[in-house]
Amino acid sequence: MVNLETDGLEAYEATPTLEKLGGQIESPRLQISAVGIQNFKKIEETRIELGPITYLVGGNNSGKSSVLQAIHTAVSCAQASVEIGQQVVAEASLRYSPVADFMLLGHNSPYTNNSGGKRGAVEFEGLAADTGEQSTYRIEMYKGRNHNNVGVDRRGSVQGFGQIICDPKKLFSVYVPGLAGVPHREEMSGYAAVFRKAASGDANLVFRNIVRLLSERGKLGKLEELVGDVLKSNVSFRVNFDSERDLYVDIQLAAGSAPDSKEFLPVDLWGTGLLQITQIFAYVLLFEPALLLVDEPDNHLHPSRQKSLGAALERVAEEFNCKVIVSTHSRHLITSASEAVKVVWMKNGSAVADSERELVEILMDLGALDQLDLSTKTVIYTEDENPNILKQALNYLSDWKDSVEVITYNGLNNSTIAAAFKTMVDYMPLSTNVIIHRDRDFLTKEELKTWSEPFLEQGIKVFCPILCDAESYCVIESHVAAVTNKSSSDVKLIKDKVISDNMEILRKKFREKRRYANGKYNRDGGGPRTDDLWPPTDNYPSDDLLYGKLVKEKLEIELRRAGYLNKKVSLDSQPSEELAKELEQVLNTLNIAQEEVR
């Protein structure tokens, strides 16, 4: 029995159903093979080749959602223009727009009215349904002459190709900005109202009515089959609505071959994964779109459910001849996908690569997907969540700053991370030098050597500065004096007071980190005694014994109190020369001729 309240998806593994198709969907219907987008929100200009399913990956603000919105907006504009029979339409007549003021959709500046001015554009490439001829259809969007009007310019290369895209009686694209979240109650709506809601990207608000319409059209059995295949269980839908008696539509679902009436659960009690999969199949069954656009369906969905979601998407692409474009942060969707699925890496509003699937998977694991430039010759991966101090030190080195990139990554599991970095380097289009940066955290030379071995064995250099952390370099007296324009003796007095006032907590932090190091590297003994490294009688510790993060925070407070530092300036406002010198020593060991980086 499937537990509908917990999705019932745990045991299901995605089946690579598209592999048998060789990456091609065989169908007489119009097929979109690529889409080009210009001047829309995050996107200045990009072109994306599509597979049966196309996953758009990248960090926040990389342009993934802009791709989906651009496609659906252009289709909405073209269909409104055809429906009204005019080139200029009122904003209010658009079925969909992601913003209240349409003109603001322009990349970095609003759309304009003049023919040579700023316009948004989406161009579809594909095969004509009747002839199979290579075709294009371009939709341009611009500011109408009158207030709250939108101009739409349409043109294509083959007769009939654009007519299918622009047909206002069909949903050429279905945009799903959020699969979860249906209302608790839903009044009965006719097909026209449901169609309009779905066209506007709000299909979730009429989900029960969509299932009701499927029932009325004899398609409920197909929905049960599709959902049941994903759940690996028989499922039954029950639609309760009497137009003479009921105001609200009630949809219930039960699992099993012969469920009892008490086993049927209302939509409110379905698990998120089950709801998402049912929504996808229901939308496609009712509207039969050529494009299904799904924006981050993995949000709030447990990883164990994401593979099942991927399987549902592959079933949609295969069975309904529907191209699926999905923006996602989910590695689980990527790794469980068949080879026919295309993965497009977005960055800064542009498709960076669509043939680096293995590299994308690794970078997603490392949390570094949106940071890497594929043309970079040298990459420093740092464990620091805030790498600004290290970046400033790099920028201080004029010979290196333009050829080295600093990127944050997740985790310090040496052997796993080292292997991942080695694999990443192998997949990079250019031969890339990788340096791993970590804080010293009071490790001895021998302990650091042990930590570094997995990386060195993979040919990866390690940069571990002498002091405890990057912040420690911001509290060196010469650096503080340079930032505050005070003498070293003046700042030393304040620094000594900070250390004295916080001696107990500084010692505690030192002991905690040494306890961790001894437990990890010296379990059988042989490591130095903590009190030998910092004797209890030593109340004037050297900089390499101080926890920089704490000292920096406390020192800035005291410097401001003394009038040495204003509120807008911090001790990391300037690069640390000492940290830059240590970094330069490591960079100089790379096998790159110095002339190449100057």
Side-chain angles (χ1 to χ4, degrees), residues 36-319:
I37 302 170
Q38 295 175 344
N39 291 327
F40 189 93
K41 294 185 70 175
K42 185 70 178 179
I43 299 169
E44 181 176 7
E45 183 170 7
T46 194
R47 179 181 177 274
I48 298 171
E49 294 187 0
L50 303 178
I53 294 178
T54 304
Y55 286 127
L56 305 177
V57 300
N60 293 328
N61 298 316
S62 61
K64 304 187 302 295
S65 295
S66 294
V67 171
L68 306 182
Q69 292 173 0
I71 293 171
H72 200 56
T73 300
V75 171
S76 176
C77 287
Q79 290 187 345
S81 177
V82 170
E83 187 173 32
I84 298 172
Q86 296 179 1
Q87 185 172 348
V88 177
V89 300
E91 287 186 29
S93 68
L94 297 178
R95 294 169 176 170
Y96 171 78
S97 174
V99 294
D101 187 347
F102 191 89
M103 300 307 107
L104 299 181
L105 289 173
H107 176 70
N108 289 339
S109 61
Y111 294 147
T112 58
N113 174 254
N114 53 312
S115 59
K118 185 156 190 176
R119 295 183 169 197
V122 173
E123 183 165 283
F124 296 100
E125 304 173 28
L127 301 177
D130 296 333
T131 64
E133 187 177 355
Q134 288 285 347
S135 310
T136 62
Y137 193 74
R138 183 178 178 86
I139 303 168
E140 292 188 356
M141 306 163 285
Y142 58 94
K143 182 181 184 300
R145 183 168 298 176
N146 296 325
H147 183 60
N148 290 334
N149 278 356
V150 177
V152 185
D153 192 3
R154 302 174 286 114
R155 56 185 181 272
S157 62
V158 173
Q159 183 73 25
F161 183 73
Q163 291 177 354
I164 299 175
I165 297 172
C166 298
D167 186 353
K169 297 178 182 178
K170 298 284 187 179
L171 285 186
F172 179 79
S173 60
V174 168
Y175 174 52
V176 190
L179 293 177
V182 299
H184 292 301
R185 290 182 175 179
E186 193 178 315
E187 293 186 13
M188 195 282 288
S189 299
Y191 180 82
V194 171
F195 180 94
R196 193 81 184 184
K197 281 290 185 184
S200 69
D202 291 327
N204 60 308
L205 299 181
V206 288
F207 169 65
R208 292 177 181 84
N209 276 285
I210 289 174
V211 176
R212 177 186 62 79
L213 288 167
L214 288 175
S215 177
E216 293 176 359
R217 297 177 180 212
K219 294 184 177 182
L220 197 58
K222 186 62 176 179
L223 181 62
E224 291 172 342
E225 175 194 333
L226 294 168
V227 175
D229 281 353
V230 174
L231 296 182
K232 294 301 180 184
S233 170
N234 291 326
V235 298
S236 300
F237 287 95
R238 191 162 63 184
V239 178
N240 298 316
F241 180 76
D242 185 335
S243 60
E244 299 293 329
R245 180 192 63 202
D246 298 328
L247 177 62
Y248 301 108
V249 178
D250 179 37
I251 304 296
Q252 298 182 351
L253 177 65
S257 56
D260 185 88
S261 60
K262 293 184 292 186
E263 296 179 72
F264 280 86
L265 294 176
V267 173
D268 304 63
L269 297 182
W270 296 3
T272 303
L274 172 60
L275 179 60
Q276 288 181 326
I277 289 169
T278 306
Q279 284 178 292
I280 290 172
F281 284 137
Y283 299 162
V284 174
L285 270 172
L286 184 61
F287 301 116
E288 300 180 354
L291 293 176
L292 177 65
L293 313 171
V294 189
D295 202 354
E296 299 191 3
D298 47 284
N299 273 356
H300 312 299
L301 186 63
H302 192 275
S304 65
R305 277 63 164 175
Q306 292 174 20
K307 289 184 179 180
S308 298
L309 177 61
L313 295 173
E314 296 207 19
R315 181 71 181 271
V316 165
E318 176 185 358
E319 188 144 339

Side-chain angles (χ1 to χ4, degrees), residues 383-384 412 437-449 451-452 462-470 472-473 510 513-514 516-517 521 543-547 549 582:
E383 63 166 335
D384 277 352
L412 273 176
H437 164 261
R438 69 153 293 164
D439 288 338
R440 174 75 64 154
D441 290 329
F442 309 124
L443 295 182
T444 65
K445 289 183 178 180
E446 288 302 314
E447 291 163 353
L448 178 60
K449 181 179 178 182
W451 183 90
S452 302
V462 172
F463 173 47
C464 184
I466 296 171
L467 302 187
C468 172
D469 50 25
S472 295
Y473 288 84
F510 179 80
K513 288 190 174 290
R514 284 305 310 158
Y516 173 82
Y521 303 106
D543 284 333
D544 62 332
L545 298 175
L546 299 177
Y547 183 57
K549 290 181 176 63
E582 290 190 42

Side-chain angles (χ1 to χ4, degrees), residues 384 386-394 469-474 552 571-572 574-576 579:
D384 277 352
N386 181 3
N388 290 337
I389 297 174
L390 183 59
K391 287 182 176 181
Q392 284 190 328
L394 174 63
D469 50 25
E471 288 80 2
S472 295
Y473 288 84
C474 296
K552 178 178 177 294
L571 293 178
D572 57 7
Q574 295 183 21
S576 164
L579 182 60

Side-chain angles (χ1 to χ4, degrees), residues 250-554:
D250 179 37
I251 304 296
Q252 298 182 351
L253 177 65
S257 56
D260 185 88
S261 60
K262 293 184 292 186
E263 296 179 72
F264 280 86
L265 294 176
V267 173
D268 304 63
L269 297 182
W270 296 3
T272 303
L274 172 60
L275 179 60
Q276 288 181 326
I277 289 169
T278 306
Q279 284 178 292
I280 290 172
F281 284 137
Y283 299 162
V284 174
L285 270 172
L286 184 61
F287 301 116
E288 300 180 354
L291 293 176
L292 177 65
L293 313 171
V294 189
D295 202 354
E296 299 191 3
D298 47 284
N299 273 356
H300 312 299
L301 186 63
H302 192 275
S304 65
R305 277 63 164 175
Q306 292 174 20
K307 289 184 179 180
S308 298
L309 177 61
L313 295 173
E314 296 207 19
R315 181 71 181 271
V316 165
E318 176 185 358
E319 188 144 339
F320 300 99
N321 302 308
C322 173
K323 291 290 180 76
V324 183
I325 309 177
V326 184
S327 71
T328 181
H329 291 280
S330 170
R331 187 183 190 277
H332 302 282
L333 284 177
I334 305 300
T335 55
S336 64
S338 67
E339 289 302 314
V341 172
K342 187 176 272 296
V343 178
V344 176
W345 178 0
M346 299 289 297
K347 184 175 182 180
N348 296 327
S350 182
V352 177
D354 61 6
S355 59
E356 309 292 344
R357 181 164 170 172
E358 294 85 355
L359 177 59
V360 164
E361 292 176 10
I362 293 169
L363 291 172
M364 289 179 80
D365 266 353
L366 296 172
L369 183 64
D370 198 40
Q371 304 174 68
L372 182 63
D373 186 334
L374 292 180
S375 65
T376 302
K377 291 285 293 181
T378 301
V379 181
I380 301 174
Y381 282 92
T382 176
E383 63 166 335
D384 277 352
E385 292 182 4
N386 181 3
N388 290 337
I389 297 174
L390 183 59
K391 287 182 176 181
Q392 284 190 328
L394 174 63
N395 289 334
Y396 183 78
L397 304 174
S398 58
D399 287 344
W400 293 98
K401 65 179 183 178
D402 295 329
S403 62
V404 181
E405 199 168 356
V406 176
I407 291 174
T408 58
Y409 75 96
N410 300 326
L412 273 176
N413 185 336
N414 291 37
S415 57
T416 303
I417 294 295
F421 278 123
K422 177 61 169 64
T423 306
M424 180 202 72
V425 171
D426 292 340
Y427 281 122
M428 290 285 286
L430 300 177
S431 178
T432 304
N433 296 288
V434 174
I435 300 172
I436 298 296
H437 164 261
R438 69 153 293 164
D439 288 338
R440 174 75 64 154
D441 290 329
F442 309 124
L443 295 182
T444 65
K445 289 183 178 180
E446 288 302 314
E447 291 163 353
L448 178 60
K449 181 179 178 182
T450 301
W451 183 90
S452 302
E453 283 176 358
F455 296 103
L456 300 178
E457 289 172 358
Q458 301 286 359
I460 298 170
K461 292 188 177 293
V462 172
F463 173 47
C464 184
I466 296 171
L467 302 187
C468 172
D469 50 25
E471 288 80 2
S472 295
Y473 288 84
C474 296
V475 298
I476 295 174
E477 289 156 23
S478 59
H479 177 81
V480 178
V483 174
T484 60
N485 290 320
K486 300 295 180 181
S487 67
S488 294
S489 58
D490 286 339
V491 300
K492 184 178 186 305
L493 290 174
I494 296 178
K495 180 180 175 181
D496 287 346
K497 180 181 183 304
V498 168
I499 294 173
S500 177
D501 290 347
N502 295 277
M503 183 67 70
E504 183 177 345
I505 190 171
L506 287 170
R507 281 189 180 278
K508 180 181 178 181
K509 198 67 181 179
F510 179 80
R511 291 192 182 99
E512 286 175 356
K513 288 190 174 290
R514 284 305 310 158
R515 188 180 302 115
Y516 173 82
N518 283 324
K520 190 168 184 64
Y521 303 106
N522 307 298
R523 292 181 180 177
D524 298 327
R529 294 175 65 249
T530 299
D531 285 349
D532 289 342
L533 295 175
W534 186 356
T537 56
D538 182 5
N539 292 324
Y540 297 94
S542 56
D543 284 333
D544 62 332
L545 298 175
L546 299 177
Y547 183 57
K549 290 181 176 63
L550 175 67
V551 176
K552 178 178 177 294
E553 176 188 347
K554 301 295 184 180

